[in-house]
Amino acid sequence: MNPETLTVALGDRSYDIFFGRGIYSLFQEWICRFYPDGTVHVVTDRNVASIYGDDINRWLSGIPHDVLALPPGEEHKSFETVREIYGFLARGDAGRDSLVVAFGGGVVGDLAGFAAATYLRGVSCIQIPTTLLSQVDSSVGGKTGFNLPEGKNLVGAFHQPRAVFIDDAFLLTLDDRNLRAGMAEVVKCALAGDAELWDRLLAVGGKWKAISGEEWRWVVRRAVAFKASVVEKDERETSLRRILNLGHTIGHAMEKSGGYGRLLHGEAVAMGLAWEAILGMKLGVTGEEMVDDLVSLLIGMGFPLDDPGVALTSIAASIGMDKKRMAADVDLPLIAAPGRCELRRVPLAEIRRELPGIRAEIRERSIAKDLNVPAGNGIPEESPVSNLVQVGDEVYEIRAVEMSVSPAVPAEAGPGVGQERAMEIEPEPESEHAEVSAGSEPDQAVAVESEPEEAPLEIPVAPAVRTVTLADLYWSQGELSTARRIVEELLRDEPANLRARAWLAARKGDDLVEAELLGFLETMAKEYGYDLS
């Protein structure tokens, strides 16, 4: 095996990314060469351990090591899990000459990387990503961290790995949904800085799983190479690296609003890419043809572009907790052309005002692409805090809790809505975990076969988000009327809520000047026929 190598040049923090098939022998050789006397501490999750647990022990045969299998899923990306890793390292007598191995998807990589960054003020770490999303995104660049209830990745550290090993054989065990989620990050990289990759994705469209073996590896390498080039220029995200947040401002808000684990990260990013493209069009940055191409590509790949069970008020509040926020603004990458983004500092209030119209346009474009969702038309907003959307001939007020609605999925899929034919990557003969169709060609890395239709992607009901904390957030950002309305609605449902009553009493009269001014303006508008929208 002669793996290809890409070096991320960061001075004394430089490291190599190895691409290959059956890369475990190189992984073992690398550890013996660079950590001959240290202990190895493997962090994985239970799903990965159930498939590769015996392999990990075999690959590390003769090397002192131990393995921790964490509960899987974004809902466990928390400080409690980080503490579990700390305890694992302490019990294993890990020292500064030890090596932490993050063996799994993006959640494992972020958690293990953060624990390595902070345990003993820094222990070396390598990344062995086992999902497409972690291979093309989270394993490269040194971002580590965990979620808080208030927002995604609000606690973290930059801690570059010592090496990354990308083996496409790991993708054999992924289901369609997880493979598709990884493609969202590939699309992001293409839009942000690789026009050639974008053209290739457009040409393939919904048949992306039929890409041949070497071309599949080319797609992965292009996405990784683009991200590595950005990291080299701006390791700590002070300027250029912010373009890698494309789709993540609204995407993270979607992910947090529905509850971690409801959407896969890539699914939320796909929604964010579509929503932010429409926002970019409204702001005069993104062309309508660009939006059309992106929406068509994402739908063709099988992504839902909205989660109607998540309330707009919840999305708006989550955007306010974004770690990229600068005071009352957000640094937002917007698509200027394929392979080129512009960073714009956009007021939070402006993004929030546009959300009903964006959701309505997503529904319109979805129905135009034969998706089984109702078309919607945005209506002019009557005030900066308007949250009205017109669907058909009726106007609805978007409340903090909405009815659960299935995500937008292709109508032509019938009973197995939203599912693709199985993608399988042909294994090497010795692979124990290969699942390929009979008659696959030896040089084919991606084979396609017909499978029985699967159950549709189901997303559980989103939780309510009307809280005093949410009101505090709006109040701190100057949206006093919205904050007061949230607390009043909370008291309407829970009259005995002492915290809400205290909040309202403490702010009695604080926004009376605003209320009086609005009342005066409304009176004048009615008398003279002005339009205040």
Side-chain angles (χ1 to χ4, degrees):
M1 178 196 65
N2 295 308
E4 295 187 25
T5 305
L6 172 68
T7 299
V8 183
L10 293 171
D12 60 358
R13 295 176 307 287
S14 298
Y15 54 95
D16 290 328
I17 303 171
F18 300 97
F19 300 88
R21 172 66 71 92
I23 211 165
Y24 53 85
S25 59
L26 178 63
F27 157 61
Q28 185 182 52
E29 178 186 341
W30 189 93
I31 291 177
C32 291
R33 176 181 296 181
F34 294 105
Y35 290 86
D37 301 319
T39 54
V40 176
H41 307 271
V42 181
V43 179
T44 185
D45 69 36
R46 292 168 189 165
N47 288 342
V48 176
S50 68
I51 301 171
Y52 296 107
D54 292 340
D55 293 333
I56 292 170
N57 288 319
R58 187 176 74 253
W59 296 338
L60 293 175
S61 176
I63 301 173
H65 70 277
D66 48 9
V67 180
L68 173 65
L70 301 171
E74 187 79 26
E75 60 270 32
H76 297 290
K77 190 177 173 182
S78 63
F79 182 61
E80 288 71 23
T81 308
V82 173
R83 288 182 61 181
E84 188 175 347
I85 301 175
Y86 288 151
F88 165 69
L89 296 175
R91 293 189 301 273
D93 199 26
R96 288 187 174 175
D97 60 346
S98 296
L99 178 68
V100 173
V101 177
F103 194 106
V107 172
V108 167
D110 282 4
L111 291 170
F114 181 81
T118 50
Y119 187 74
L120 299 180
R121 296 191 175 91
V123 177
S124 295
C125 178
I126 65 173
Q127 295 275 350
I128 303 181
T130 60
T131 65
L132 179 58
L133 189 144
S134 59
Q135 289 185 357
V136 300
D137 183 60
S138 59
S139 64
V140 178
K143 277 189 176 182
T144 70
F146 59 89
N147 304 330
L148 296 179
E150 290 79 9
K152 186 174 172 68
N153 293 333
L154 291 184
V155 181
F158 288 99
H159 189 59
Q160 299 296 341
R162 294 298 308 275
V164 181
F165 298 86
I166 295 178
D167 189 335
D168 60 84
F170 289 127
L171 305 184
L172 291 168
T173 55
L174 292 185
D175 58 22
D176 277 4
R177 189 183 179 196
N178 278 280
L179 277 170
R180 184 184 300 111
M183 287 303 294
E185 291 287 356
V186 176
V187 172
K188 179 203 76 175
C189 288
L191 287 170
D194 192 333
E196 184 178 353
L197 178 57
W198 171 253
D199 289 341
R200 182 57 191 147
L201 293 175
L202 276 187
V204 174
K207 298 179 180 178
W208 59 274
K209 290 185 293 182
I211 299 174
S212 64
E214 190 51 44
E215 191 170 18
W216 174 260
R217 298 183 187 102
W218 179 86
V219 168
V220 171
R221 287 194 299 268
R222 291 287 293 211
V224 173
F226 167 68
K227 180 169 184 179
S229 70
V230 173
V231 171
E232 288 177 341
K233 296 180 180 70
D234 180 21
E235 181 183 2
R236 293 185 172 261
E237 201 176 300
T238 59
S239 55
L240 177 64
R241 188 169 178 175
R242 293 176 187 175
I243 67 173
L244 298 178
N245 293 323
L246 178 65
H248 284 61
T249 298
I250 292 179
H252 278 176
M254 285 278 196
E255 196 172 359
K256 188 261 179 185
S257 298
Y260 297 123
R262 173 183 171 89
L263 291 172
L264 295 179
H265 176 65
E267 292 168 342
V269 169
M271 293 179 188
L273 288 172
W275 285 50
E276 290 175 23
I278 292 173
L279 176 61
M281 185 174 66
K282 292 176 178 291
L283 296 177
V285 178
T286 307
E288 185 168 1
E289 184 178 355
M290 181 76 251
V291 176
D292 289 341
D293 287 344
L294 175 59
V295 169
S296 296
L297 176 63
L298 293 174
I299 289 174
M301 287 180 163
F303 285 107
L305 298 187
D306 191 9
D307 180 359
V310 175
L312 287 180
T313 49
S314 180
I315 298 170
S318 297
I319 290 173
M321 291 301 297
D322 193 286
K323 64 181 183 297
K324 301 178 287 296
R325 192 186 73 202
M326 309 291 287
D329 303 327
V330 171
D331 283 341
L332 199 65
L334 298 172
I335 306 164
R340 184 167 66 85
C341 283
E342 292 182 9
L343 275 174
R344 290 285 184 95
R345 184 158 292 181
V346 183
L348 283 168
E350 185 170 3
I351 299 175
R352 286 170 173 156
R353 281 196 300 269
E354 296 290 356
L355 288 177
I358 293 173
R359 170 165 273 177
E361 183 151 349
I362 286 290
R363 291 174 178 172
E364 280 186 351
R365 290 174 178 270
S366 296
I367 198 68
K369 299 298 180 184
D370 296 325
L371 296 197
N372 57 349
V373 295
N377 296 299
I379 64 174
E381 303 208 18
E382 299 179 355
S383 74
V385 294
S386 173
N387 56 358
L388 300 178
V389 166
Q390 180 178 326
V391 179
D393 296 324
E394 298 181 11
V395 177
Y396 295 93
E397 181 181 9
I398 302 297
R399 304 290 302 231
V401 183
E402 295 184 355
M403 297 299 292
S404 176
V405 184
S406 297
V409 290
E412 65 272 13
V417 173
Q419 295 300 319
E420 305 280 350
R421 291 181 297 172
M423 169 187 175
E424 296 175 348
I425 302 174
E426 182 185 343
E428 296 296 321
E430 67 273 15
S431 172
E432 299 176 18
H433 309 293
E435 300 174 4
V436 297
S437 58
S440 298
E441 292 297 326
D443 59 349
Q444 191 82 0
V446 181
V448 179
E449 67 173 15
S450 297
E451 292 283 349
E453 291 178 332
E454 302 175 18
L457 173 62
E458 294 184 358
I459 300 180
V461 178
V465 293
R466 194 190 301 114
T467 65
V468 173
T469 301
L470 177 60
D472 280 336
L473 177 63
Y474 276 101
W475 190 276
S476 68
Q477 294 171 357
E479 300 188 32
L480 310 187
S481 299
T482 303
R484 185 178 293 279
R485 188 174 71 245
I486 289 171
V487 175
E488 289 172 347
E489 291 176 353
L490 185 61
L491 284 171
R492 182 191 63 201
D493 297 338
E494 302 177 50
N497 189 316
L498 296 180
R499 186 181 176 202
R501 292 169 65 181
W503 187 97
L504 203 58
R507 290 161 180 79
K508 186 175 182 180
D510 283 1
D511 60 348
L512 289 182
V513 174
E514 178 187 6
E516 290 174 359
L517 178 59
L518 286 174
F520 171 75
L521 290 174
E522 289 173 359
T523 300
M524 295 294 292
K526 291 177 181 177
E527 184 171 349
Y528 293 101
Y530 293 143
D531 181 4
L532 296 181
S533 61

